[in-house]
Amino acid sequence: MRFDVLTIFPELFGPHLTHGVTRRAFESRQVDVRLWPLRDFADGNYRRVDDRTFGGGPGMVMLAEPLEKALAAVTAERCEAAPAVIHFTPTGDRIDQAWVQALAAGPGAILLCGRYEGIDQRVLDSHVTLELSLGDFVLSGGELAALALLDAVARLQDGVLGDVQSHEQDSFSDGLLDCPHYSRPEVLSDGRSVPPVLLSGHHADIRRWRREQSLALTAARRPDLIQAARAAGRLSKADEAFLAKR
């Protein structure tokens, strides 16, 4: 899959694409990320990509013409049916694991990283097919949201994490939050120990313990996810019996 990123700060992406376990996806081009510096498509000596907003008010707005030139160049190079064009904005749909899984199974997208007060609305109206947000807060630009999305997509690619169960057991993969995890030593110097069931070797008991921990954590912190899992038929009779006892 291919992601084309339109940004005025392409240098922000370099460290992320070359470090950590997800670099395998980027280096192998399982997730092919191509950076398009917007100033390359701006005119004049100063390569301006922003200007004052019509109607007055604080802040600057990203100009339509450099963005449209960049979008035309990307579309021409991709030589395929028009890809999804994603704009990162607080007014967009909140990114969740379902969005990530859908994108991870597709051909990729064009990612628009806005800055300042935003992007000229005419560009958004004409080209954007999907608006996404990290949550109910404001960032200085779309680059961090784009990086978060790329990381989430990359870790779902075959062979990136080494063990496919690593992402299958992630929070939200089955609609619930993940269970707690423990490692060596079995007992810390102050006496805190690993739950005995995890040392028992009884795989069925371990699976059930992890499931119950996941249910308990989700019910306490995100009851909305329990309701959604119930509505989707993802809770077993054993799950419901455990929740009823809490």
Side-chain angles (χ1 to χ4, degrees):
M1 68 185 59
R2 171 174 166 175
F3 288 91
D4 293 274
V5 184
L6 277 59
T7 172
I8 61 173
F9 295 118
E11 61 274 13
L12 295 179
F13 290 82
H16 175 80
L17 300 178
T18 55
H19 290 80
V21 68
T22 51
R23 76 181 188 283
R24 298 172 184 170
F26 303 126
E27 290 176 350
S28 68
R29 298 213 166 179
Q30 281 177 279
V31 181
D32 184 6
V33 178
R34 307 194 187 189
L35 303 174
W36 297 78
L38 281 173
R39 294 192 191 280
D40 289 354
F41 299 90
D43 297 325
N45 294 332
Y46 295 103
R47 299 287 183 178
R48 292 194 63 174
V49 295
D50 64 291
D51 207 337
R52 295 185 299 273
T53 178
F54 281 121
M60 308 290 272
V61 175
M62 294 184 71
L63 296 170
E65 291 179 340
L67 281 160
E68 297 210 318
K69 289 178 182 178
L71 284 166
V74 172
T75 302
E77 186 177 294
R78 288 182 73 115
C79 298
E80 61 186 41
V85 178
I86 297 174
H87 172 226
F88 298 103
T89 169
T91 63
D93 292 336
R94 185 175 297 184
I95 298 171
D96 59 19
Q97 193 68 9
W99 276 121
V100 172
Q101 289 169 337
L103 287 168
I110 298 173
L111 309 182
L112 293 186
C113 299
R115 281 269 161 178
Y116 317 120
E117 290 300 306
I119 291 173
D120 189 303
Q121 187 64 38
R122 291 168 292 186
V123 175
L124 306 181
D125 292 341
S126 298
H127 301 284
V128 169
T129 57
L130 180 62
E131 292 194 312
L132 295 178
S133 170
L134 285 184
D136 296 340
F137 55 93
V138 179
L139 296 169
S140 297
E143 285 81 8
L144 288 175
L147 285 167
L149 183 64
L150 290 171
D151 183 88
V153 166
R155 68 191 310 280
L156 295 183
Q157 303 307 307
D158 291 343
V160 171
L161 297 185
D163 185 344
V164 67
Q165 291 185 343
S166 292
H167 67 71
E168 289 178 352
Q169 295 177 358
D170 284 342
S171 289
F172 308 112
S173 291
D174 64 352
L176 304 178
L177 301 180
D178 196 10
C179 65
H181 297 278
Y182 299 84
S183 188
R184 293 170 178 75
E186 294 178 14
V187 182
L188 296 178
S189 59
D190 60 5
R192 286 174 292 159
S193 61
V194 174
V197 66
L198 298 178
L199 308 175
S200 69
H202 297 295
H203 298 298
D205 290 348
I206 292 171
R207 283 195 298 272
R208 189 63 214 166
W209 180 88
R210 286 174 170 164
R211 180 66 174 181
E212 290 178 351
Q213 291 293 308
S214 175
L215 289 164
L217 185 63
T218 306
R221 299 186 182 180
R222 292 290 303 276
D224 58 305
L225 295 179
I226 293 289
Q227 295 173 7
R230 181 176 288 125
R234 290 196 293 263
L235 299 184
S236 67
K237 290 182 178 179
D239 293 338
E240 294 286 15
F242 173 79
L243 290 169
K245 290 188 299 184
R246 296 184 71 256

